[in-house]
Amino acid sequence: MNYMKRIAVFASGEGTNTQHLIDYFRGTDVTISLIICNNPKANVLKHAEKNGIPSLLINKESLYNNDAVLEKLVEEKTYLIVCAGFLWKIPDNLLRAFPDKIVNIHPALLPKFGGKGMYGMNVHKAVIEAREKESGITIHYLNEHYDEGKIIFQSVCEVKNDDTSETLAQKVLELEHKYFSKTIEQLLK
């Protein structure tokens, strides 16, 4: 088994990007070895179960006040952590243990429209309200500040005058599905 190809995914919601990662790497030497989630009602847990991937439901105590999550990641021989719609800040103990090995996808062109509270529809609404002409995705490493880590990849989509938060969200999701798995694959080479 190639431990350099073991990924843990942190997610909080629907799990469409997680499912795309699972499908993309199926039949390769890359293993999604663990899905960590902070929301017991998140659909991503169903994706984990359906695909036979172990999941770990966490709370703030286990993430921030002890090393339970870190110990599980080490036990799973995790090489790369991928945040795919995970809504809590990654704690310092994980950032120290996995330097430049924690990757996030953000639904806007950072450094614009990043920071605390800027996720999902909040981002798309802010882009529309600012009358931006383009938006897109940013895949970046995590650091101790929200959305300020080194940028790995960006892709742009046009924001048209008649776009709504919902239509922009769909364009951005298409970019996420097109580029996220490919970019993760490049990081594993």
Side-chain angles (χ1 to χ4, degrees), residues 69-80:
V69 173
L70 175 58
E71 289 167 4
K72 183 66 175 171
L73 290 166
V74 170
E75 177 187 314
E76 290 293 326
K77 297 178 175 43
T78 302
Y79 177 73
L80 188 70

Side-chain angles (χ1 to χ4, degrees), residues 42 56 96 100 155 163 187:
L56 178 64
R96 282 191 305 273
D100 291 332
S155 183
D163 268 325
L187 297 176

Side-chain angles (χ1 to χ4, degrees), residues 20-118:
H20 270 266
L21 287 165
I22 293 166
D23 293 342
Y24 188 86
F25 290 118
R26 184 175 282 119
T28 72
D29 64 345
V30 175
T31 303
I32 299 188
S33 56
L34 182 65
I35 295 174
I36 295 178
C37 182
N38 62 325
N39 176 1
K41 296 179 181 168
N43 204 42
V44 72
L45 295 170
K46 293 177 184 164
H47 291 296
E49 184 178 353
K50 177 179 76 174
N51 290 281
I53 298 170
S55 62
L56 178 64
L57 186 61
I58 61 171
N59 57 30
K60 289 194 173 184
E61 173 74 21
S62 61
L63 185 61
Y64 297 113
N65 297 337
N66 62 53
D67 286 334
V69 173
L70 175 58
E71 289 167 4
K72 183 66 175 171
L73 290 166
V74 170
E75 177 187 314
E76 290 293 326
K77 297 178 175 43
T78 302
Y79 177 73
L80 188 70
I81 296 170
V82 175
C83 296
F86 186 67
L87 299 182
W88 289 354
K89 193 172 186 204
I90 298 296
D92 289 342
N93 68 331
L94 295 186
L95 293 171
R96 282 191 305 273
F98 293 92
D100 291 332
K101 296 288 182 221
I102 305 177
V103 178
N104 185 49
I105 188 162
H106 185 76
L109 298 173
L110 294 174
K112 289 183 172 184
F113 306 104
K116 189 170 174 65
M118 293 303 281

Side-chain angles (χ1 to χ4, degrees), residues 135-152:
S135 189
I137 61 168
T138 302
I139 300 168
H140 64 99
Y141 290 112
L142 285 187
N143 66 16
E144 61 276 5
H145 304 289
Y146 280 110
D147 300 325
E148 292 183 14
K150 180 181 168 205
I151 293 173
I152 301 165

